[in-house]
């Protein structure tokens, strides 16, 4: 009978996998995999060397270890870093023009207050928030106890959202897709589900949700023919984002 073991309190303990083998190869493989996962979660330090490269886990379960980033996402991070100066300058100019200090801070991932929400919906601007209004109202009518946060990329989109939805939901600006900014932003919110309208494909956002067991769902998804004919590296970034979607 197969065993698995761990060292606990200086005592070497063993636990038997019951009813094994069952005669069903799929069932046997499942039992072994479950035993391995249970043991890794109990004593992760003993298994770090063997499991750090594992990149799969059941949906809805966070990663035991953060997987290494592939070349595609490393190149994406480098590209964002090279664009940081003009992006920050444009964000500051927009905040100054709109006289909105909150826009500058939140777009740079420096929002201060925790804004916990059960459902987090992101709409880029005015067109996306108008498309999301029926869904938001349906959620509010059927699940009035759920806390909803709406994030946007532009001050104009936020103004429309606040006019249409009032104080029934919370609001925020989506930070630029820097890895640290996205992580900080989502730790402030701690959502159970992220709904992203239409064509917003941000690899770091989707990757963080995937690694932390947050369902990221693209609503009314669409890609134009122009998007499918973009540069190969852009297509790779888009593909990686879609792979991480739920």
């Amino acid at each position: 009978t197969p065993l698995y073991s761990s060292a606990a309190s200086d005592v070497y303990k063993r636990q038997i996998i019951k009813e094994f083998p069952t005669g069903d190869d799929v069932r046997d493989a499942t039992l072994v995999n479950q035993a391995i996962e249970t043991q890794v979660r109990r004593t992760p330090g003993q298994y770090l060397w063997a499991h750090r490269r594992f990149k799969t886990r059941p949906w809805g379960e966070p990663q035991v270890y953060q997987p290494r980033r592939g070349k595609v996402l490393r190149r994406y991070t480098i590209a964002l870093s090279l664009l940081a100066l003009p992006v920050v300058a444009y964000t500051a100019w927009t905040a100054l023009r709109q006289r909105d200090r909150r826009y500058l801070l939140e777009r740079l991932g420096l929002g201060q207050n925790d804004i916990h929400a059960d459902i987090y919906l992101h709409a880029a601007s005015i067109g996306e928030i108008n498309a999301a209004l029926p869904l938001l109202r349906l959620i509010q009518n059927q699940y009035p106890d759920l806390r909803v946060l709406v994030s946007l990329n532009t001050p104009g989109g936020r103004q429309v959202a606040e006019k249409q939805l009032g104080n029934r939901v919370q609001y925020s600006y989506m930070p630029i897709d820097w890895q640290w900014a996205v992580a900080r932003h989502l730790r402030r919110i701690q959502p159970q589900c992220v709904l992203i309208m239409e064509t917003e494909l941000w690899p770091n956002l989707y990757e963080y949700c995937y690694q932390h067991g947050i369902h990221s769902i693209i609503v009314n998804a669409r890609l134009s023919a122009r998007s499918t004919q973009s540069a190969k590296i852009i297509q790779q970034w888009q593909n990686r984002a879609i792979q991480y979607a739920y």
Side-chain angles (χ1 to χ4, degrees), residues 109-125:
L110 301 175
Q112 299 300 316
N113 299 326
D114 289 340
I115 41 178
H116 299 312
D118 301 304
I119 295 179
Y120 174 17
L121 184 141
H122 174 65
S125 191

Side-chain angles (χ1 to χ4, degrees), residues 161-180:
E162 291 178 342
K163 181 179 179 180
Q164 294 291 333
L165 299 169
N167 59 4
R168 292 176 292 175
V169 302
Q170 302 178 84
Y171 302 95
S172 176
Y173 289 109
M174 169 71 79
I176 297 161
D177 199 43
W178 295 316
Q179 191 177 12
W180 66 268

Side-chain angles (χ1 to χ4, degrees), residues 43-69:
T43 54
Q46 297 181 26
Y47 292 83
L48 176 60
W49 65 272
H51 291 270
R52 67 180 302 177
R53 289 179 176 271
F54 284 14
K55 297 184 179 181
T56 59
R57 52 98 176 97
W59 279 112
E61 293 290 333
Q63 289 277 13
V64 178
Y65 307 110
Q66 182 173 339
R68 293 179 177 178
R69 309 192 91 203

